[in-house]
Amino acid sequence: MNMIGEEMQPGLSKGAIRIEDVVKIYDPDGAAVMAVDHCSIDIPAGEICMIVGPSGCGKTTLLNAIAGFHGVTSGHIYLDNELLCSPEKPQAEPGSDRIVVFQNGALFPWKTNIDNIAFGPLMAGKLGKKEIYEKARSMMADAGLSGTENSYPGEVSSGLRRRVEIVRALMNDPKVLLFDEPYRALDSLTKSVMHEALLDIYYKNKVTIFFITHDLEEAIFLGHRLIIMTSRPCKPKKIVDVDIPHPRDYSVLTSPRFREIMNEAKGVVNEEAKKAFDAGEREG
Amino acid sequence: MSQADVTGLGLTMFRISSWLKSPKPYLMVTGFMLLLATWYFTVEVWKLPRFQDMPGITEVFSEWFSKDPYYGLSIYTPEYYKHILISLRRIAYAFCLATVLGVPLGLFLGWSKTIRDFIFPLFEVFRPIPVLAWVPLAIIMFSGSETPVIFLTFLASFFATTLNTMLGVESIDESYSRAAYCLGASRWQTFKHVVVPGAMPYIFTGLQISIGVAWFSLVAGEMVSGQYGLGYLINTAYMMIEYPKIIIGMITLGVIGYSTSALVRLAGDYMMQWRVRELALGDN
Ligand SMILES: Nc1ncnc2c1ncn2[C@@H]1O[C@H](COP(=O)(O)OP(=O)(O)OP(=O)(O)O)[C@@H](O)[C@H]1O
Ligand SMILES: [Mg+2]
């Protein structure tokens, strides 16, 4: 039983994200949609940080800014005290220290599973091909993916595909994994298998996880902390600490503490969802 | 044997054998029989008003398979194969040239907005001009009888290939290139590993269209210029009132045209195993 604090000796851990006063306005000269409003979040290295918020509030916008898919209007984002983006350099460079796991999955359908997993190191070109494939094979075995090496992603179940995608990210020793509702499309049974698989992978490879979701149960089950966002433009509205020790398994879901946290979070989320809904009504 | 074990040509064989087990081939044969029967009865038995001048089925086939053909053209005369080979050679030149130029151009048009803004308007103006309108210019521009025909055949193919390739690049989900950047791929690596294979299904759709329009323009070209070739055969047979030769030329065109298009499809299957396997899974 350990809370993250125990093995997080300062200096050794990697992947702390600091978001400082970030603002993102789409199309500033035209419609000027403000998606993120003076948002500051501090995520210690090795934390599973769950981002919860109403539809369209700006969660993906924030994630894309960290990943470097688009720039910020103002504010700073740091990774391990290194500047990713700032007003002088609004768009971060995408790189293998921060890997995104996409909402609909982005395994390359034209590459076999193992070729997908080997992709990052092959592009980096630091290791030999043989070494890379050996590592890929052993990581696949660890994640219970043996036997699917030479199948194409389209040939395996969606649950396996998600796992392949996470292994593909981990092959690059990322500091941060950015999840944008990766399990949204999965049925609840597959989802719970995926949650345990993700935690299992997390316990083996301590990385920082920035995880966007709509699903409160998922958020509390996985996260060290929940950051509940306001409706658009988003910024943290309330931070809920999930003081249930890791490693967790599904028995946690029925514990009284889980229900307490759930109730606490639900009130805040519903309030914001209602605001978002009313705003939508006014605009529409 | 499971789907995953089937590869390459084995997969094509698998498809053929399942095709033979379905009702499709029998329906196909019935369709052909109906057509031939209609031909026989309208021309030779009922002698319907506008049909009586047409060559009958018995006349055509006995000429086609005769060792001593009345009009000098049958499967036993070298001249027949000369027509076929010359047409095929023109198609090969034109189709290969259209592919070699059209695919890269389409890839760059789809990939770079600057290149597209520069070239695409030109493209849009030239594309709607029918091949036949190019005939005079082709004859003025190119000397000899061979190059104008190849040029005409090339034109329509080139437009079809380029346009479909460009659409193919545009069809690629943005998350694939984002994933590649996340995994540390450079812009060029992303082009090679994401843009090219991602556009492949559209490229092959384009090549299917391209080979079809190539035959179309070839025959048009051969009718006005050139010596030998199936279009030339049909046209001269018409002028010399050797009607059975027209039909022999037409059927030969149909069979060879279909075969080349099947070859293109086969090449596509071969290069896109991932897609074939996905589709094969979908069929079950
Ligand atoms: N490229 C864009 N240009 C203009 N507005 C945009 C753009 N992308 C997103 N938006 C708007 O910004 C707001 C936030 O979008 P974002 O995708 O970040 O929301 P989200 O919280 O991820 O929503 P969801 O839960 O539905 O995924 C939305 O109102 C959206 O319409
Ligand atoms: Mg989103």
Side-chain angles (χ1 to χ4, degrees):
Chain A
M1 294 272 160
N2 43 45
M3 292 289 292
I4 45 163
E6 282 175 31
E7 64 241 274
M8 307 244 309
Q9 300 104 331
L12 280 180
S13 48
K14 49 176 193 173
I17 302 175
R18 199 159 81 244
I19 300 168
E20 251 179 35
D21 252 355
V22 164
V23 176
K24 172 71 183 179
I25 300 172
Y26 285 111
D27 190 14
D29 308 320
V33 179
M34 190 186 236
V36 179
D37 179 18
H38 294 281
C39 171
S40 298
I41 301 175
D42 220 329
I43 305 171
E47 179 178 270
I48 305 181
C49 180
M50 307 298 287
I51 309 291
V52 187
S55 258
C57 76
K59 305 179 293 294
T60 301
T61 305
L62 193 58
L63 180 140
N64 286 348
I66 302 172
F69 298 151
H70 61 207
V72 297
T73 311
S74 70
H76 300 74
I77 301 178
Y78 299 88
L79 174 62
D80 287 336
N81 291 320
E82 272 178 47
L83 196 61
L84 286 179
C85 61
S86 65
E88 288 74 44
K89 176 179 166 280
Q91 186 166 354
E93 191 75 32
S96 59
D97 49 356
R98 291 152 280 140
I99 300 187
V100 177
V101 177
F102 291 87
Q103 185 162 329
N104 298 310
L107 285 176
F108 307 128
W110 46 86
K111 288 186 185 289
T112 57
N113 290 334
I114 195 158
D115 285 341
N116 264 288
I117 287 174
F119 183 80
L122 283 177
M123 294 303 106
K126 287 193 203 105
L127 297 175
K129 206 166 171 174
K130 192 156 160 275
E131 254 173 294
I132 293 172
Y133 277 87
E134 261 164 30
K135 184 174 173 200
R137 210 158 278 134
S138 87
M139 288 197 66
M140 284 183 88
D142 281 349
L145 290 167
S146 297
T148 64
E149 287 93 344
N150 297 316
S151 302
Y152 288 96
E155 294 178 293
V156 300
S157 70
S158 55
L160 282 186
R161 268 204 296 277
R162 299 302 149 113
R163 233 182 293 170
V164 174
E165 199 168 351
I166 295 173
V167 174
R168 176 173 79 173
L170 290 173
M171 273 291 280
N172 305 280
D173 278 325
K175 296 176 174 173
V176 182
L177 289 182
L178 303 162
F179 289 84
D180 193 352
E181 298 190 68
Y183 305 143
R184 192 183 204 168
L186 301 184
D187 60 275
S188 61
L189 210 62
T190 315
K191 218 173 182 176
S192 55
V193 176
M194 290 313 296
H195 291 155
E196 289 194 310
L198 176 65
L199 284 182
D200 197 41
I201 289 172
Y202 170 77
Y203 298 138
K204 287 180 194 155
N205 317 261
K206 285 285 160 67
V207 286
T208 309
I209 292 181
F210 181 96
F211 194 118
I212 296 175
T213 180
H214 267 116
D215 179 344
L216 261 184
E217 191 167 283
E218 168 173 272
I220 301 170
F221 178 66
L222 294 174
H224 292 108
R225 269 195 315 163
L226 264 54
I227 307 220
I228 301 172
M229 298 294 212
T230 60
S231 54
R232 187 173 67 82
C234 83
K235 62 176 163 211
K237 159 138 181 143
K238 185 172 172 63
I239 295 178
V240 178
D241 279 308
V242 184
D243 49 6
I244 300 171
H246 276 274
R248 297 178 190 161
D249 63 34
Y250 254 73
S251 63
V252 161
L253 288 183
T254 48
S255 70
R257 185 68 192 127
F258 188 91
R259 304 262 52 112
E260 269 172 46
I261 298 171
M262 186 73 164
N263 288 337
E264 185 187 349
K266 212 171 210 161
V268 186
V269 170
N270 282 350
E271 194 182 311
E272 281 311 311
K274 187 161 182 326
K275 267 191 216 157
F277 182 75
D278 289 344
E281 297 270 276
R282 273 202 308 280
E283 278 165 24
Chain B
M1 196 157 51
S2 82
Q3 279 284 344
D5 301 330
V6 191
T7 54
L9 289 176
L11 202 65
T12 311
M13 296 311 294
F14 171 78
R15 279 215 202 149
I16 291 174
S17 80
S18 53
W19 181 72
L20 282 175
K21 283 182 210 129
S22 73
K24 283 182 199 161
Y26 310 102
L27 290 173
M28 186 184 90
V29 170
T30 315
F32 275 110
M33 297 307 264
L34 269 175
L35 175 77
L36 294 179
T38 313
W39 183 10
Y40 177 67
F41 281 104
T42 48
V43 178
E44 286 174 54
V45 179
W46 301 325
K47 300 196 191 321
L48 293 183
R50 294 294 309 165
F51 287 84
Q52 61 213 5
D53 293 336
M54 279 209 5
I57 182 170
T58 28
E59 192 188 358
V60 168
F61 277 87
S62 57
E63 176 78 5
W64 198 3
F65 296 104
S66 160
K67 284 206 162 125
D68 181 22
Y70 181 75
Y71 296 109
L73 191 87
S74 79
I75 58 166
Y76 294 102
T77 61
E79 203 192 335
Y80 179 59
Y81 297 101
K82 185 151 191 197
H83 286 301
I84 294 178
L85 278 179
I86 288 195
S87 281
L88 270 177
R89 195 178 68 196
R90 288 171 180 153
I91 287 282
Y93 281 137
F95 178 76
C96 292
L97 197 65
T99 307
V100 165
L101 294 177
V103 171
L105 178 62
L107 287 173
F108 285 116
L109 282 176
W111 193 44
S112 155
K113 208 173 155 353
T114 333
I115 300 182
R116 181 171 19 187
D117 290 346
F118 179 52
I119 298 182
F120 196 61
L122 273 177
F123 210 78
E124 285 289 77
V125 174
F126 278 101
R127 198 169 58 94
I129 303 174
V131 169
L132 282 177
W134 283 93
V135 169
L137 208 61
I139 296 175
I140 297 170
M141 274 197 295
F142 297 99
S143 61
S145 61
E146 205 61 15
T147 28
V149 179
I150 292 177
F151 173 72
L152 291 172
T153 311
F154 157 82
L155 263 184
S157 287
F158 172 70
F159 286 121
T161 304
T162 311
L163 203 69
N164 275 282
T165 305
M166 188 185 96
L167 291 178
V169 176
E170 285 173 355
S171 79
I172 301 172
D173 191 328
E174 201 185 8
S175 46
Y176 292 131
S177 40
R178 285 182 165 180
Y181 288 131
C182 263
L183 294 166
S186 65
R187 214 167 134 68
W188 172 247
Q189 285 171 324
T190 305
F191 181 76
K192 186 173 151 207
H193 291 278
V194 174
V195 176
V196 175
M200 209 50 100
Y202 276 72
I203 295 180
F204 271 93
T205 308
L207 294 183
Q208 288 277 330
I209 299 171
S210 156
I211 194 86
V213 295
W215 280 102
F216 177 88
S217 343
L218 174 84
V219 171
E222 285 178 340
M223 281 184 164
V224 287
S225 158
Q227 277 166 352
Y228 288 102
L230 292 164
Y232 173 83
L233 167 73
I234 292 172
N235 202 35
T236 42
Y238 171 65
M239 305 220 263
M240 314 289 274
I241 329 183
E242 299 168 333
Y243 291 165
K245 278 167 95 174
I246 298 181
I247 308 291
I248 294 176
M250 286 172 67
I251 300 179
T252 309
L253 261 177
V255 172
I256 303 213
Y258 176 80
S259 313
T260 49
S261 147
L263 268 180
V264 172
R265 190 180 341 218
L266 212 65
D269 282 1
Y270 188 75
M271 288 184 68
M272 294 185 293
Q273 288 299 310
W274 59 277
R275 201 132 201 284
V276 180
R277 290 212 216 163
E278 263 176 28
L279 294 178
L281 281 180
D283 281 350
N284 292 341

